[in-house]
Amino acid sequence: MTKLLLDVDTGIDDSLALLLLLASPEAEILGISCTAGNVGARQVAINNLAWLDLCRAPEVEVCLGAEVPLIEPLKTSEETHGPQGIGWAELPAPQRTISSRHATDLWSDVARQHPGEVVGLITGPLTNLALAVKRDPELPRLLQRIVIMGGAFNHRGNTTPTSEWNVAVDPDAAKIIFDAFSGLPAERRPAVCALDVTETLEMRPEHLARLAEASGSTPVETLDPEDPIGTRSTASNPLVRHVTDAIRFYLEFHREWGHGWLAHMHDPFAAALALDDRWAETVDVTVDVELAGTLTRGTTVADWGGVWGREPNARVAVRTDPQAFFDHLITRISALARTLA
Ligand code: BDR
Ligand code: CA
């Protein structure tokens, strides 16, 4: 079993990451903290609670933290993730409630309860984790390791020409984390899933059709690019229906941005890596965050050639097997969907 703490900005692909973890018997989620990013932090919390309800998940604590980045004014991204952050999906209002514990306390308390055992997965801006580290500087040594979805190295940005969303929303927090997690033994360095690798994970309508089929959901729908914007799924299985509605929005967004009729599965990849290191080939390298650049604030820089002479502080994922990843995602989520039919 892998004990996990999540920090998320749910988000369409954060939703799929959560579903993958809920569908993974080897994952034990000890808590979820919510960061403002794709949508406001409260909406992130509602989305997480609603997915947990829908999946009839065991009780999982969902906490709020900072509702704005450390310095940067908050930006959200409803045009990417839909009005509520879950695309066109309309999940029933959750029965569960937000915990009264603050996100920073969650991270510190849980890490201290299980020293050296907890894997942290961050698929949103790093605001909460940076605040937790400021409050409890031991945290990097108390966690077993962390996996971050963030950054763009030898790859174009998705927020500015050179920056990736999670880092661009709160660059100061990202810098704090790369500094605070420096000096760890090699096997405990943060694993970083940047756009260079996450944009190789292209979800296409065929994947959704395979998910429906494996879930025993009818009709098996193949989302057609000619469909009117916002067409809703009629899938018999509730999980397949909501996932299809969420992903349709993401396909529409990616098409609008010139990527084609596909959707990048950034966060589910980071979730898979949090459970099993073998999902990525990684390179140990020193990573830092540009804070001062007038054009490049929020850009992640990797010192591939070692010219800084600084110890590596990250294990950057450089390659994965997209086909094996989608097979895994479909197998796992369909098994969960079948339990809800
Ligand atoms: C990241 O930004 C968000 O929009 C996604 O959820 C993902 O975590 C990709 O840049
Ligand atoms: Ca995210």
Side-chain angles (χ1 to χ4, degrees), residues 251-269:
L251 295 173
E252 291 167 355
F253 166 79
H254 281 76
R255 177 178 55 189
E256 206 177 311
W257 280 83
H259 293 291
W261 192 234
L262 55 86
H264 295 134
M265 286 296 111
H266 312 280
D267 296 343
F269 173 68

Side-chain angles (χ1 to χ4, degrees), residues 9 11 13-14 38 80-81 123-124 149 158 164-166 195 250 266-267:
D9 66 336
D13 58 329
D14 304 75
N38 292 323
T80 312
H81 291 270
T123 63
M149 192 284 129
N158 65 358
E164 179 279 333
W165 175 258
N166 291 335
L195 297 181
Y250 223 21
H266 312 280
D267 296 343

